[in-house]
Amino acid sequence: KEYNVAILGATGAVGTRLIQQLEQSSIPVKQVKLLASPRSAGTVLQFKGQDVTVEATTPESFDDVDIVLASAGGAASKQFLPEAVKRGAVAVDNTSAFRMDPEVPLVVPEVNESAIEQHKGIIANPNCSTIQMVVALKPILDAAGLKQIIVSTYQAGSGAGQMAIKELDHEAQQHLNGEEMTADIFPVKSEAHHYPLAFNLLPQIDVFEPDGSTHEEWKMVHETKKIMLGDMNDPKIKVNATCVRVPVVIGHGESVYFEVEDNSNLDAHKIQQLIKNGKGLVLEDNPAEQLYPQPINAEGHTDTYVGRVRADPENPGAYNLWVVADNLLKGAAANTVEIAEKLVEHDLVRVPADYYGKK
Ligand code: A2P
């Protein structure tokens, strides 16, 4: 069987990578449809060496589509994905629009692949910073259980999209020219105040919650619980996040501190072995050789890199590690396409009778 695949947001930072990941995937593609806003209708992109003209998205765009890969922002997903499902397509959504919906599985194949079986037409791809953390911690969860996770992120500018990458470059150029830096996008496009990211750090990603955390931090807490425990509010693993935007273009870094449930059979060396054998993981950890993960080395790769593994001498059963992944690939496009590959592999490219959004 071959599938008609639509990429919603095909001209964006993640969308262009969705095209590349789909080209390299095991999915037999009959026809690809590249969709975006009317702004870029008519743009010609390539799929497997063939020209494909980008189309403005309408509900009818999804007639005859089997699989939708979506990364055009939450508003576009909310508007178009139920339309696509109604027309019989299965959608893998990279936005936050449906992640917390109990009817929508939130999936990282290395961690909770079987959750896709419950889909009703929409499967959500988690936030970029959540994905690389749960991939790194999965083998530890399986071997020793987790009581608590405390994470600080160092997130690349590209997570805010193609225009944000341009803004970061422009600010850097302004600074080097001795000019004042101007900002219109960071930290959050829709907010009242904007600050330069170049040569700076911004401890705000997404809008603020009433409790003083940011929505990005909220996502890391609740998505981690939903992926690892099946319930976004499960208190079994305590999660605490601080999310910071750093002037890196591609590749998120995360300092992760965690406490295990059962430390009787564990030490830093065993954690290194677990990581080394873990799915989708590469251990880069050798202080003697100054070997540790770095965003510039992770860029363009779909693996998650882990290093700086060490036990906390002050707190038995607690450990630190440093996790890096390409936020546009494992954090977005690669994970989305991996979910689609699993749907194909398990013959789940079909919507059930009680599909998502059916009244
Ligand atoms: P366009 O290029 O026409 O603006 P990024 O995450 O890099 O900002 O990219 C966002 C992607 O989502 C782009 O492909 C953009 O298309 C697309 N997009 C934004 N809004 C819509 C919309 N309302 N309908 C369809 N595509 C959209």
Side-chain angles (χ1 to χ4, degrees):
K1 182 163 168 47
E2 291 189 311
Y3 301 90
N4 289 335
V5 182
I7 297 179
L8 175 56
T11 53
V14 174
T16 48
R17 281 151 182 95
L18 282 170
I19 297 172
Q20 295 165 6
Q21 292 299 306
L22 184 64
E23 285 175 332
Q24 296 164 23
S25 82
S26 62
I27 300 169
V29 179
K30 189 171 4 164
Q31 217 190 332
V32 73
K33 197 174 240 193
L34 303 181
L35 303 171
S37 83
R39 285 181 295 274
S40 48
T43 303
V44 178
L45 298 175
Q46 294 240 313
F47 183 78
K48 292 191 176 171
Q50 305 283 319
D51 285 352
V52 183
T53 304
V54 175
E55 299 167 43
T57 314
T58 67
E60 291 71 37
S61 304
F62 301 98
D63 290 341
D64 299 325
V65 168
D66 303 301
I67 300 171
V68 184
L69 307 173
S71 195
S77 282
K78 277 188 186 142
Q79 181 184 356
F80 292 116
L81 297 191
E83 294 289 344
V85 173
K86 198 163 81 185
R87 289 167 169 78
V90 177
V92 188
D93 183 27
N94 186 51
T95 78
S96 63
F98 302 101
R99 286 180 194 149
M100 288 302 145
D101 192 315
E103 290 201 290
V104 176
L106 182 65
V107 178
V108 180
E110 291 88 339
V111 183
N112 65 336
E113 181 182 333
S114 64
I116 59 170
E117 290 159 20
Q118 307 305 320
H119 86 78
K120 293 185 162 191
I122 301 177
I123 298 98
N125 189 72
N127 186 48
C128 44
S129 48
T130 308
I131 294 177
Q132 66 183 65
M133 184 174 82
V134 298
V135 169
L137 293 177
K138 169 65 172 169
I140 301 153
L141 174 73
D142 289 347
L146 289 167
K147 284 202 296 205
Q148 183 167 24
I149 303 166
I150 299 173
V151 57
S152 294
T153 70
Y154 301 67
Q155 296 183 225
S158 58
Q162 202 67 59
M163 296 306 289
I165 298 174
K166 279 199 182 144
E167 176 163 291
L168 176 57
D169 278 347
H170 184 61
E171 288 166 356
Q173 200 60 60
Q174 287 175 315
H175 183 79
L176 296 176
N177 292 347
E179 298 162 15
E180 199 175 326
M181 294 189 280
T182 52
D184 304 300
I185 296 176
F186 291 111
V188 179
K189 198 165 191 304
S190 62
E191 289 270 66
H193 299 285
H194 295 107
Y195 311 115
L197 179 62
F199 304 97
N200 197 15
L201 297 171
L202 296 172
Q204 181 189 0
I205 302 179
D206 214 328
V207 296
F208 278 96
E209 297 288 329
D211 69 0
S213 66
T214 61
H215 191 55
E216 187 84 350
E217 291 157 358
W218 186 95
K219 285 181 229 168
M220 286 198 79
V221 173
H222 295 284
E223 291 181 12
T224 298
K225 289 169 186 271
K226 181 166 173 175
I227 297 160
M228 287 188 151
L229 304 168
D231 174 356
M232 64 174 277
N233 290 312
D234 196 321
K236 196 161 175 281
I237 303 175
K238 289 187 278 180
V239 187
N240 177 281
T242 301
C243 295
V244 180
R245 191 73 79 186
V246 301
V248 166
V249 179
I250 290 177
H252 290 352
E254 295 178 351
S255 164
V256 183
Y257 179 85
F258 59 92
E259 286 182 29
V260 299
E261 229 164 38
D262 175 10
N263 196 42
S264 58
N265 206 14
L266 210 63
D267 56 27
H269 179 70
K270 287 201 182 100
I271 289 179
Q272 288 171 322
Q273 295 311 307
L274 290 170
I275 303 276
K276 207 171 171 176
N277 299 323
K279 273 197 247 169
L281 287 167
V282 175
L283 181 73
E284 282 187 341
D285 194 12
N286 186 354
E289 300 287 334
Q290 288 180 279
L291 179 68
Y292 36 73
Q294 299 170 39
I296 51 172
N297 298 330
E299 181 178 345
H301 300 278
T302 58
D303 285 318
T304 297
Y305 298 85
V306 180
R308 301 293 322 277
V309 178
R310 61 211 192 272
D312 178 358
E314 307 273 303
N315 187 9
Y319 299 86
N320 290 92
L321 44 79
W322 170 246
V323 186
V324 173
D326 183 323
N327 56 300
L328 300 176
L329 290 179
K330 187 57 192 169
N335 199 71
T336 299
V337 172
E338 282 162 34
I339 293 170
E341 284 179 327
K342 297 296 177 192
L343 290 168
V344 168
E345 198 181 305
H346 299 293
D347 195 21
L348 290 165
V349 185
R350 49 191 153 67
V351 296
D354 63 337
Y355 61 82
Y356 190 93
K358 187 177 183 188
K359 298 279 155 16

mmCIF file of all heavy atoms in Angstrom, residues 8-13 36-37 39-40 57 71-72 76 80 161-162, ligand 1:
data_model
loop_
_atom_site.group_PDB
_atom_site.id
_atom_site.type_symbol
_atom_site.label_atom_id
_atom_site.label_comp_id
_atom_site.label_asym_id
_atom_site.label_seq_id
_atom_site.Cartn_x
_atom_site.Cartn_y
_atom_site.Cartn_z
ATOM 1 N N LEU A 8 1.482 20.035 6.390
ATOM 2 C CA LEU A 8 0.861 21.329 6.690
ATOM 3 C C LEU A 8 1.911 22.216 7.368
ATOM 4 O O LEU A 8 2.418 21.872 8.432
ATOM 5 C CB LEU A 8 -0.353 21.108 7.599
ATOM 6 C CG LEU A 8 -1.091 22.342 8.130
ATOM 7 C CD1 LEU A 8 -1.564 23.251 7.008
ATOM 8 C CD2 LEU A 8 -2.266 21.925 8.999
ATOM 9 N N GLY A 9 2.226 23.343 6.732
ATOM 10 C CA GLY A 9 3.311 24.205 7.231
ATOM 11 C C GLY A 9 4.627 23.851 6.575
ATOM 12 O O GLY A 9 5.696 23.983 7.170
ATOM 13 N N ALA A 10 4.540 23.416 5.301
ATOM 14 C CA ALA A 10 5.704 22.859 4.601
ATOM 15 C C ALA A 10 6.842 23.853 4.393
ATOM 16 O O ALA A 10 7.984 23.450 4.182
ATOM 17 C CB ALA A 10 5.274 22.293 3.249
ATOM 18 N N THR A 11 6.545 25.157 4.451
ATOM 19 C CA THR A 11 7.593 26.159 4.205
ATOM 20 C C THR A 11 8.305 26.603 5.482
ATOM 21 O O THR A 11 9.231 27.392 5.430
ATOM 22 C CB THR A 11 6.976 27.412 3.541
ATOM 23 O OG1 THR A 11 5.875 27.843 4.361
ATOM 24 C CG2 THR A 11 6.470 27.123 2.143
ATOM 25 N N GLY A 12 7.880 26.089 6.641
ATOM 26 C CA GLY A 12 8.435 26.549 7.916
ATOM 27 C C GLY A 12 9.720 25.844 8.308
ATOM 28 O O GLY A 12 10.219 24.949 7.613
ATOM 29 N N ALA A 13 10.262 26.252 9.477
ATOM 30 C CA ALA A 13 11.518 25.683 9.972
ATOM 31 C C ALA A 13 11.379 24.171 10.189
ATOM 32 O O ALA A 13 12.261 23.390 9.822
ATOM 33 C CB ALA A 13 11.925 26.371 11.276
ATOM 34 N N ALA A 36 0.595 25.379 3.008
ATOM 35 C CA ALA A 36 1.038 26.480 3.875
ATOM 36 C C ALA A 36 -0.052 27.548 3.852
ATOM 37 O O ALA A 36 -1.210 27.256 3.520
ATOM 38 C CB ALA A 36 2.381 27.029 3.402
ATOM 39 N N SER A 37 0.305 28.765 4.209
ATOM 40 C CA SER A 37 -0.678 29.857 4.180
ATOM 41 C C SER A 37 -0.720 30.409 2.756
ATOM 42 O O SER A 37 0.158 30.116 1.941
ATOM 43 C CB SER A 37 -0.263 30.948 5.169
ATOM 44 O OG SER A 37 0.691 31.789 4.566
ATOM 45 N N ARG A 39 0.194 33.104 1.791
ATOM 46 C CA ARG A 39 1.426 33.872 1.551
ATOM 47 C C ARG A 39 2.422 33.121 0.676
ATOM 48 O O ARG A 39 3.118 33.702 -0.140
ATOM 49 C CB ARG A 39 2.139 34.189 2.875
ATOM 50 C CG ARG A 39 1.524 35.265 3.708
ATOM 51 C CD ARG A 39 2.364 35.485 4.972
ATOM 52 N NE ARG A 39 2.380 34.337 5.875
ATOM 53 C CZ ARG A 39 1.477 34.098 6.808
ATOM 54 N NH1 ARG A 39 0.477 34.918 6.967
ATOM 55 N NH2 ARG A 39 1.556 33.038 7.584
ATOM 56 N N SER A 40 2.528 31.806 0.885
ATOM 57 C CA SER A 40 3.555 31.081 0.127
ATOM 58 C C SER A 40 2.974 30.136 -0.925
ATOM 59 O O SER A 40 3.690 29.299 -1.469
ATOM 60 C CB SER A 40 4.512 30.354 1.073
ATOM 61 O OG SER A 40 3.800 29.645 2.035
ATOM 62 N N THR A 57 -3.816 26.324 2.214
ATOM 63 C CA THR A 57 -4.567 25.251 2.870
ATOM 64 C C THR A 57 -6.059 25.577 2.946
ATOM 65 O O THR A 57 -6.443 26.668 3.381
ATOM 66 C CB THR A 57 -4.030 25.064 4.301
ATOM 67 O OG1 THR A 57 -2.602 25.049 4.258
ATOM 68 C CG2 THR A 57 -4.542 23.767 4.916
ATOM 69 N N SER A 71 2.746 21.129 11.117
ATOM 70 C CA SER A 71 3.566 22.018 11.926
ATOM 71 C C SER A 71 3.401 23.456 11.436
ATOM 72 O O SER A 71 4.348 24.095 11.011
ATOM 73 C CB SER A 71 5.037 21.582 11.890
ATOM 74 O OG SER A 71 5.742 22.223 12.930
ATOM 75 N N ALA A 72 2.161 23.945 11.498
ATOM 76 C CA ALA A 72 1.856 25.290 11.009
ATOM 77 C C ALA A 72 1.302 26.158 12.127
ATOM 78 O O ALA A 72 0.603 27.135 11.869
ATOM 79 C CB ALA A 72 0.863 25.199 9.849
ATOM 80 N N ALA A 76 -3.694 26.837 13.143
ATOM 81 C CA ALA A 76 -3.921 26.105 11.883
ATOM 82 C C ALA A 76 -4.283 24.645 12.175
ATOM 83 O O ALA A 76 -5.164 24.069 11.523
ATOM 84 C CB ALA A 76 -2.686 26.192 10.988
ATOM 85 N N PHE A 80 -7.658 23.008 10.893
ATOM 86 C CA PHE A 80 -7.652 22.074 9.762
ATOM 87 C C PHE A 80 -7.608 20.585 10.123
ATOM 88 O O PHE A 80 -8.086 19.759 9.349
ATOM 89 C CB PHE A 80 -6.477 22.392 8.824
ATOM 90 C CG PHE A 80 -6.629 23.702 8.111
ATOM 91 C CD1 PHE A 80 -5.737 24.744 8.327
ATOM 92 C CD2 PHE A 80 -7.685 23.904 7.220
ATOM 93 C CE1 PHE A 80 -5.883 25.967 7.675
ATOM 94 C CE2 PHE A 80 -7.840 25.112 6.566
ATOM 95 C CZ PHE A 80 -6.933 26.146 6.787
ATOM 96 N N GLY A 161 10.749 29.305 15.191
ATOM 97 C CA GLY A 161 10.381 29.357 13.768
ATOM 98 C C GLY A 161 11.402 30.064 12.892
ATOM 99 O O GLY A 161 12.390 30.622 13.363
ATOM 100 N N GLN A 162 11.106 30.012 11.594
ATOM 101 C CA GLN A 162 12.016 30.520 10.564
ATOM 102 C C GLN A 162 12.318 32.011 10.726
ATOM 103 O O GLN A 162 13.468 32.439 10.599
ATOM 104 C CB GLN A 162 11.359 30.258 9.196
ATOM 105 C CG GLN A 162 12.297 30.219 8.035
ATOM 106 C CD GLN A 162 13.239 29.017 8.102
ATOM 107 O OE1 GLN A 162 12.821 27.882 8.120
ATOM 108 N NE2 GLN A 162 14.528 29.291 8.149
HETATM 109 P P1 A2P B 1 3.806 30.471 5.287
HETATM 110 O O1 A2P B 1 5.226 30.211 4.891
HETATM 111 O O2 A2P B 1 2.903 30.588 4.110
HETATM 112 O O3 A2P B 1 3.657 31.598 6.269
HETATM 113 P P2 A2P B 1 7.535 28.581 11.165
HETATM 114 O O4 A2P B 1 7.242 27.633 12.295
HETATM 115 O O5 A2P B 1 8.924 28.455 10.643
HETATM 116 O O6 A2P B 1 7.147 29.974 11.515
HETATM 117 O O7 A2P B 1 6.588 28.125 9.960
HETATM 118 C C1 A2P B 1 5.179 28.093 10.069
HETATM 119 C C2 A2P B 1 4.566 27.354 8.889
HETATM 120 O O8 A2P B 1 3.157 27.335 9.043
HETATM 121 C C3 A2P B 1 4.826 27.996 7.549
HETATM 122 O O9 A2P B 1 4.896 26.966 6.566
HETATM 123 C C4 A2P B 1 3.576 28.854 7.368
HETATM 124 O O10 A2P B 1 3.279 29.135 6.016
HETATM 125 C C5 A2P B 1 2.544 27.913 7.910
HETATM 126 N N1 A2P B 1 1.302 28.579 8.334
HETATM 127 C C6 A2P B 1 1.173 29.592 9.221
HETATM 128 N N2 A2P B 1 -0.120 29.921 9.380
HETATM 129 C C7 A2P B 1 -0.835 29.102 8.565
HETATM 130 C C8 A2P B 1 -2.234 28.942 8.280
HETATM 131 N N3 A2P B 1 -3.173 29.683 8.851
HETATM 132 N N4 A2P B 1 -2.581 27.994 7.385
HETATM 133 C C9 A2P B 1 -1.662 27.223 6.802
HETATM 134 N N5 A2P B 1 -0.335 27.319 7.032
HETATM 135 C C10 A2P B 1 0.078 28.244 7.905
#
